[in-house]
Amino acid sequence: MSHQEQYRQQLRRLSDELLAIQKPIRILDAIKWPRQLEEEFFASGACHLPRVDRHFYEAIPLSFDPHHTYRELRELRERIVRHLGAHDELGQILQQTVEQYMVVCEMLRSRGTPDFLRYSRLLYGSARDHLRGDRKTLKELGERLCQIFSLPGARHLTRPWPKIYQGEGAVTRLQEKLTDYFDEGTVRVKLSDGIVSDAAAGGDYIKLSSHARFSELDLQVLEVHEGWVHVGTTLNGRAQPWASWLSAGSPRITACQEGLAVLIETLTFSSFPDRARRISDRVMAIDMAEQGADFIELYRHFHARGMGQH
């Protein structure tokens, strides 16, 4: 066996070990709020903070043991250095990915505490970070976009799109769109009661919330954002024969993935002013939370700007 072949097999074996270790980690499932909290919040007249603290999360067990998983990741990092070398370029990328999952373990162990924010910033950054080469922060860019998309002229850029799809009808329509792009059977669309957002992408599927309604334009956004970019990237990573860790979406690629998805929305003329405003509003909301605003303060801020209950 050649040295190159030995190297490739080592890389694949270590990559597969990482995939196996990280498989039970489900970040969004670990931190999402149950729908019951939303119902209770509005039933109280939006006056009482949801009781979400460390004790709340302690009653919701993680799908993995963070202490054990952290040790496994640390030992894997040592094996990567030992087998691939401390200065091997692919090995360094793999090490850094392992280290990010170690931070994920620490972050999820800290649910409901101030340390959660610290670890989250290490993984995903802050609303006050700067884009490379730009003097403005993400928050400042978000504020500017909010101003632009709040102008009266922006309301005339998109004609009304009625939300005519729900449930199986939405599933069928989005499946048709994706089948035109991917090979039939490659990507599945299914309903879910367990997601907080309207939609979420998995490895080879997209979940639609059974509680949400969609317009034709909404489904077009999901087609390119969730389908072409998120699912498409995962399928591309699964085709990599040696660096198999590319088939899993680690935290280190989140910013790139979301940026690419929003760019594709724009290049395909799928985005629209209200959609772009919602994205910039999320940056503003994150900054408010980072600066200490509680859930009610966030809700009242956006409600005062004319946003509806949901």
Side-chain angles (χ1 to χ4, degrees), residues 35-92:
R35 193 170 296 277
Q36 176 188 354
L37 288 183
E38 178 185 3
E39 296 168 355
E40 291 174 353
F41 178 72
F42 289 118
S44 74
C47 294
H48 299 296
L49 277 174
R51 295 183 178 180
V52 179
D53 54 18
R54 181 163 200 151
H55 299 296
F56 171 85
Y57 283 115
E58 286 174 348
I60 304 176
L62 294 170
S63 57
F64 67 102
D65 181 339
H67 298 280
H68 177 70
T69 300
Y70 187 94
R71 287 195 300 271
E72 286 187 308
L73 290 165
R74 185 178 59 201
E75 292 167 1
L76 174 59
R77 182 181 60 183
E78 293 170 357
R79 288 196 297 277
I80 293 169
V81 174
R82 187 163 61 249
H83 292 294
L84 299 182
H87 304 293
D88 179 79
E89 293 182 349
L90 287 177
Q92 287 179 338

Side-chain angles (χ1 to χ4, degrees), residues 6-230:
Q6 287 180 333
Y7 173 82
R8 287 173 172 173
Q9 291 193 11
Q10 287 276 26
L11 181 65
R12 177 61 191 248
R13 181 176 59 79
L14 293 165
S15 298
D16 287 348
E17 285 188 49
L18 174 57
L19 290 180
I21 293 171
Q22 64 81 41
K23 186 174 182 179
I25 300 176
R26 295 289 180 267
I27 296 176
L28 293 181
D29 285 346
I31 62 175
K32 69 182 181 182
W33 293 3
R35 193 170 296 277
Q36 176 188 354
L37 288 183
E38 178 185 3
E39 296 168 355
E40 291 174 353
F41 178 72
F42 289 118
S44 74
C47 294
H48 299 296
L49 277 174
R51 295 183 178 180
V52 179
D53 54 18
R54 181 163 200 151
H55 299 296
F56 171 85
Y57 283 115
E58 286 174 348
I60 304 176
L62 294 170
S63 57
F64 67 102
D65 181 339
H67 298 280
H68 177 70
T69 300
Y70 187 94
R71 287 195 300 271
E72 286 187 308
L73 290 165
R74 185 178 59 201
E75 292 167 1
L76 174 59
R77 182 181 60 183
E78 293 170 357
R79 288 196 297 277
I80 293 169
V81 174
R82 187 163 61 249
H83 292 294
L84 299 182
H87 304 293
D88 179 79
E89 293 182 349
L90 287 177
Q92 287 179 338
I93 296 174
L94 188 53
Q95 285 179 61
Q96 291 162 8
T97 305
V98 168
E99 288 165 357
Q100 284 226 321
Y101 279 113
M102 293 168 71
V103 178
V104 169
C105 290
E106 298 284 37
M107 181 182 74
L108 295 183
R109 283 173 54 192
S110 305
R111 294 178 301 169
T113 74
D115 280 343
F116 183 90
L117 172 60
R118 179 165 63 89
Y119 290 120
S120 177
R121 280 174 170 163
L122 286 175
L123 291 170
Y124 305 110
S126 166
R128 300 206 174 190
D129 287 345
H130 293 258
L131 293 175
R132 182 174 297 178
D134 201 313
R135 290 178 296 177
K136 292 187 180 296
T137 64
L138 294 175
K139 172 182 176 288
E140 291 170 328
L141 291 173
E143 288 174 335
R144 181 58 181 148
L145 286 174
C146 284
Q147 293 170 359
I148 292 172
F149 294 120
S150 297
L151 294 173
R155 301 182 184 277
H156 302 288
L157 295 178
T158 307
R159 65 181 177 86
W161 291 85
K163 295 184 180 293
I164 59 176
Y165 297 102
Q166 186 179 25
E168 291 298 337
V171 167
T172 299
R173 182 65 185 121
L174 182 55
Q175 188 72 70
E176 291 172 352
K177 288 175 170 290
L178 292 169
T179 301
D180 287 342
Y181 186 82
F182 296 97
D183 291 336
E184 187 169 358
T186 302
V187 181
R188 296 170 293 124
V189 183
K190 54 188 178 181
L191 282 179
S192 174
D193 291 324
I195 58 174
V196 177
S197 57
D198 288 348
D204 56 4
Y205 62 84
I206 296 175
K207 291 180 180 179
L208 298 183
S209 171
S210 57
H211 303 279
R213 298 184 69 90
F214 303 90
S215 68
E216 183 72 22
L217 188 56
D218 292 331
L219 295 179
Q220 182 175 325
V221 169
L222 293 177
E223 176 193 2
V224 300
H225 185 116
E226 307 290 351
W228 294 10
V229 176
H230 294 332

